[in-house]
Amino acid sequence: TVAIIASTLLYLEINDNGGYPQVSEQRYKELDNVLQEAIKYSKDSPVKAIRLLESYGILPKLLENRKNYILSKLYQEIDEPAMALIRAYGISSDYLPQFARYHRAQIAGKIGLEGVAVEDLDYLVNKFPENPKYLYDLAKSYSRQSLMEDARKTFLLIQTSFPQSEYALGADYYLAN
């Protein structure tokens, strides 16, 4: 995991187009050190790494991309006890980046925390209504919870709002069963 994160960070550094908000070189180095510290924590203490990254809010674009990538990887790796710790510490997810929040919803669904999955997917559906994937995953989450009427309504919404999408085909399958 650390090797994947490190190689991605290098890729992001090399491919920065320079059109992002600037900070002083000293501040950039300080923020970069925070990201390196989070990588160090990520192996043994993903919750500590998440708390550290969450505490920094929005960063200059290149560092923000790196932070979001690390967060999404950490959310992919945490298990149910770690999710419980995240909830216990009250880490806010209101400003989580779109893809990190989606990863968290996927993980929550995989470990049976459908309430967290529905909360995140509902947020994504409302914030990014043009993305049928979020609606589709929300409908599947309803289905896993045996909330069949909610699932049916959401699958129908996919069919009417995104009739040419692959998610409409998936909705056809679910509605036929």
Side-chain angles (χ1 to χ4, degrees), residues 3 12 24 35 38 42 48 52 55 67 69 73 84 89 92-93 119-120 125 138-140 142 153 155 173-174:
L12 288 172
S24 71
L35 295 176
S42 67
K48 187 174 183 179
L52 177 66
S55 71
K67 179 186 86 169
Y69 179 79
K73 286 306 205 185
Y89 282 116
S92 172
S93 60
E119 177 186 324
D120 284 341
V125 164
L138 180 61
K140 289 192 320 183
Y142 287 145
K153 287 179 184 176
F155 283 128
Y173 170 79
Y174 275 94

Side-chain angles (χ1 to χ4, degrees), residues 26-68:
Q26 179 181 352
R27 181 67 177 147
Y28 188 92
K29 286 179 182 179
E30 290 170 6
L31 294 170
D32 186 57
N33 288 338
V34 169
L35 295 176
Q36 298 304 323
E37 192 174 347
I39 291 170
K40 181 179 75 178
Y41 292 147
S42 67
K43 184 173 183 178
D44 299 319
S45 182
V47 173
K48 187 174 183 179
I50 289 169
R51 290 182 68 205
L52 177 66
L53 292 172
E54 290 279 348
S55 71
Y56 275 84
I58 305 299
L59 300 174
K61 187 64 176 175
L62 176 61
L63 293 174
E64 184 69 12
N65 287 343
R66 293 168 61 189
K67 179 186 86 169
N68 292 344

Side-chain angles (χ1 to χ4, degrees), residues 5-20 22 28 61-63 65-66:
I5 292 172
S7 64
T8 301
L9 294 180
L10 179 61
Y11 171 82
L12 288 172
E13 281 182 21
I14 291 170
N15 292 296
D16 179 26
N17 69 10
Y20 304 122
Q22 299 295 312
Y28 188 92
K61 187 64 176 175
L62 176 61
L63 293 174
N65 287 343
R66 293 168 61 189

Side-chain angles (χ1 to χ4, degrees), residues 71-107:
L71 270 174
S72 70
K73 286 306 205 185
L74 289 169
Y75 278 124
Q76 285 179 352
E77 293 179 11
I78 59 177
D79 56 9
E80 188 170 353
M83 285 293 280
L85 282 173
I86 289 169
R87 288 195 308 275
Y89 282 116
I91 294 173
S92 172
S93 60
D94 290 339
Y95 61 88
L96 278 178
Q98 179 179 355
F99 61 88
R101 192 147 189 174
Y102 180 67
H103 284 301
R104 188 175 81 161
Q106 288 179 310
I107 293 163

